[in-house]
Structures are given as C-alpha cells and as structure tokens.
Amino acid sequence: MKLSGVEIRTIRVPLVSPFRTSFGTETIREALVVRAVTGEAEGWGECGAGIAPLYSSEYTHASADVLSRYLIPALAGVADLDAHRVAPALAGFKGHRMAKAALETAVLDAELRAAGVSFGRALGAVHASVPCGVSVGITGSIPELLDAVAGYLEAGYLRIKLKIEPGWDVEPVRAVRERFGDILLQVDANTAYGRGDARHLAGLDPFGLLLLEQPLAEDDLRGHAELAARISTPICLDESIVSARAAADAIAMGACQVVNIKPGRVGGYLEARRIHDVCAAHGVPVWCGGMLETGLGRAANVALAALPGFTLPGDTSASERYYRTDLTPPFVLEDGHLAVPAGPGLGVAPIPEVLDEVTVATEWVPL
Ligand SMILES: CC(=O)N[C@@H](Cc1ccc2ccccc2c1)C(=O)O
Ligand SMILES: [Mg+2]
C-alpha cells in the first residue's frame, strides 16, 4: 500500500455524566482520531490516551506530537506498507503505545477496506455479537451508586464493574451485593492500593467477585503475586499488561489469573491478538477493556472481543454509556450484547458533520 499522508484530529466530546476513578474525574473526553490516506482506501484509528497522563504516561497532546514528529514520518521509508510492517517500523521509538496503536489501526483499516475484509475476520472473530459489561464510576454516595447500577442492569448489561479506591471499596461492594444479589460483579482500583493493603483487600473476598482489577502499581508484578497468595478474589491486570511478553511474565509469576486486554495500551490490535493467544495457551481468561472510545475504537474492540478466548463480558459498553452523540452510528445494546460490525475494515466511519463539530484541532502530515 502507498501511504500518501495521515490526518491527526484532536476531538473533544462531552460525557453524558462525570466518570470518576481513583485517578480523577472526567467530564469531557479528549482523544485523537487518525485518518490514513492511501491510494486504495482511507483508514481510521483512535488514540485512547487521556487529556492528562493519569491512567498511564500518555496524554493526547504528547500522542499528537509523537505521531506527527516521529511515528508518521517513520512510515515514509517502508516499502509496500501493510499493517504488519507498522510496529517494526516504529519499534525504535520507545513507549507511546497508544499513539502507535492508533496509527497501526488506521493502516490496518485502510488495508482491510481495500481488501473487503472485516476487522473481525482479520483478527479471528468467532462470534457475531459479544456480551457486554459496564464500568461504573465512583459516586458521591451509596444510594447514588445503587441507582446507577440499577439503571445499567435495567439496560441489560451482563456484568457490573465498580471503580474503587481506599475509602470506597468494601462498603459499596457490600451494598451492591445486598441490593442486586448474585449478579456478575467485579472491581477496578486503577493502581490505587499498596503492598500493605492485602489484609484490607481480603475484606472483598466474602462478596464472590469475578476479579479485582489492577490493585497495585503498573510495575509491581511481585506485589500482585504476593497479594494473589493472600486473597481469594482472582486478580486481573490492566495497566501492567503492556505486551504479550508482559502477559507471559505476569502469568508465570502468578501475578494475575485474568487479563484485561486493551489494544491501545499494548500498541495495537495485532499485539492484542498475540496477548489473547498467550493467555489462551495458559488457560487464562481474557476480556476487552475500554478507554471510553468513540464508535471507531468501539467497533475494533467489539471485533476483538469476538475472539474465542474472550470468555468474560468486557467494558464494550453501548455508545450511550458515554456519549449523547457518537462519532459513528451508535452501538446499541441488544439483550446485553453488541453486534460485531460485518463491513470491510472497522465497518463504521465517522459521520462527517459530527466529526467536524467535535474537532478542536487538525494536522495533516504528508509523506
Ligand atoms: C472503562 C474503564 O474503566 N476504563 C479504564 C479506566 C479509564 C477511565 C477513564 C478514562 C478516560 C480517559 C482516558 C482513559 C480512561 C481510562 C480501566 O479499565 O481502567
Ligand atoms: Mg482497568
């Protein structure tokens, strides 16, 4: 494929409600939309970095800069470009996995649209729809939390995930269990606890949680392994799993029993597929995490979540969980499931007037 250039758009989309986690509260989603222009087709990608380096070290302004200054120009020298050649061409640049993922996804989308092949088919999807869970932020009170959970269960979500942090953990979980019974329930700490909190986190064990997601720091595999030996709730890692090798190491060290796969965090959908395969080889269940993607990233995540090893509902929620108006036609929950787009490539594209409305900056990088 001949890449003639890449457009980087910074978009800002208001959230339908504030989303509070242990690292802060978001009311507007700032993200990047990347459009790769080739002779045969154009492809779309989305960068999941946040407005500030709070979930991970990446943030939108830095991602836009590294894309235009280093990553996109690096593709100029690649003869006969295809999606599998993107990561090797960018490997010399350290980190910036979400920026790399957005670029690889846009090249993959262009390649697949030109070939008339869907993302699901290219990745190895085996289902036409996927069961969906939802991530519920920290609320101001327990009654507010119970109302939010009731609303999502009413909407049909098959699994509830509660954000927790020190001071908001055992009590909210107890309240949800007491009110809603044995629903599929899990929690996500986004690294908010320390190695000294094992006894406190064991206080979650009586509630039969599916998993405890990323209680400790991203780089503390040893701490997670020690914690796993002291609590009965299975540990799931998110921030720590930055590559297939990291997944293999975490599993070998007993640092996790479940893995949250997020393509942006690991550098793209091709590496995400490799992590799926590593986990399947070890009998470790995986599910698809979310970064409040627009319909572009959502389409790719739903395709990934249709692979055989994704045996747990993911954070692949409907568009309306986050946005009043999505960039693409909305993803609508049906019986707790989202349909896997069947069209070529992502199978969806931005609605031009919506994309223009939410675009706050555009940069064209010619090759
Ligand atoms: C659905 C969910 O809980 N996602 C992340 C946390 C998260 C939440 C909000 C975000 C906002 C902007 C950028 C990244 C973000 C990541 C997680 O699983 O840990
Ligand atoms: Mg998480």
Side-chain angles (χ1 to χ4, degrees):
M1 244 178 0
K2 180 81 190 77
L3 186 60
S4 52
V6 179
E7 179 187 74
I8 307 168
R9 285 172 176 255
T10 303
I11 64 169
R12 282 205 191 117
V13 196
L15 296 178
V16 293
S17 59
F19 187 53
R20 185 176 152 197
T21 68
S22 64
F23 58 77
T25 301
E26 306 261 344
T27 55
I28 292 182
R29 183 67 168 97
E30 182 183 89
L32 301 183
V33 170
V34 165
R35 179 169 63 94
V37 179
T38 76
E40 298 96 304
E42 62 179 39
W44 297 91
E46 178 172 350
C47 178
I51 192 166
L54 296 170
Y55 164 78
S56 74
S57 61
E58 298 190 71
Y59 60 102
T60 37
H61 192 80
S63 298
D65 183 74
V66 75
L67 276 162
S68 67
R69 198 187 298 268
Y70 299 107
L71 304 183
I72 294 165
L75 297 188
V78 180
D80 191 20
L81 181 69
D82 73 12
H84 290 87
R85 289 190 166 93
V86 171
L90 304 182
F93 301 112
K94 301 295 184 289
H96 296 285
R97 284 182 292 270
M98 292 185 193
K100 291 175 176 176
L103 184 54
E104 181 188 88
T105 304
V107 172
L108 179 56
D109 185 32
E111 185 182 331
L112 294 177
R113 286 179 196 269
V117 175
S118 73
F119 234 72
R121 183 174 162 74
L123 291 176
V126 295
H127 304 297
S129 69
V130 298
C132 298
V134 64
S135 180
V136 185
I138 294 167
T139 56
S141 69
I142 297 275
E144 211 180 320
L145 177 71
L146 296 178
D147 285 349
V149 172
Y152 290 130
L153 292 172
E154 184 63 33
Y157 285 102
L158 300 175
R159 179 271 281 145
I160 296 292
K161 159 169 146 179
L162 304 179
K163 290 294 185 181
I164 62 170
E165 65 182 11
W168 181 267
D169 46 31
V170 174
E171 285 322 305
V173 167
R174 183 198 313 279
V176 168
R177 259 300 173 242
E178 282 172 2
R179 166 72 71 82
F180 301 108
D182 61 354
I183 58 170
L184 293 184
L185 183 62
Q186 64 193 54
V187 294
D188 185 359
N190 288 108
T191 76
Y193 293 88
R195 290 191 180 184
D197 293 319
R199 183 186 305 278
H200 176 73
L201 291 170
L204 293 170
D205 284 348
F207 301 107
L209 297 176
L210 278 173
L211 55 92
L212 163 56
E213 186 179 348
Q214 199 72 45
L216 308 179
E218 171 193 336
D219 60 355
D220 192 6
L221 289 188
R222 183 164 162 223
H224 282 104
E226 289 171 352
L227 179 62
R230 296 182 59 186
I231 66 173
S232 62
T233 304
I235 287 182
C236 172
L237 291 178
D238 171 349
E239 288 89 337
S240 298
I241 309 299
V242 295
S243 65
R245 180 193 307 153
D249 290 351
I251 293 166
M253 292 173 71
C256 67
Q257 292 76 48
V258 186
V259 169
N260 164 339
I261 296 182
K262 281 183 184 172
R265 185 192 72 218
V266 303
Y269 288 84
L270 301 181
E271 186 70 2
R273 166 70 210 240
R274 289 189 277 269
I275 294 172
H276 162 273
D277 295 348
V278 164
C279 291
H282 289 83
V284 168
V286 302
W287 53 282
C288 187
M291 300 289 277
L292 285 65
E293 292 89 351
T294 72
L296 290 171
R298 199 158 299 282
N301 285 351
V302 168
L304 178 72
L307 267 64
F310 286 81
T311 53
L312 291 168
D315 283 344
T316 47
S317 307
S319 295
E320 69 174 9
R321 161 66 185 87
Y322 297 111
Y323 305 115
R324 209 175 338 281
T325 307
D326 202 343
L327 281 197
T328 65
F331 281 81
V332 178
L333 203 63
E334 281 165 25
D335 293 328
H337 289 66
L338 286 182
V340 178
L346 291 173
V348 297
I351 299 161
E353 47 276 10
V354 176
L355 180 56
D356 287 343
E357 197 178 299
V358 300
T359 297
V360 294
T362 302
E363 181 181 358
W364 170 249
V365 184
L367 285 181

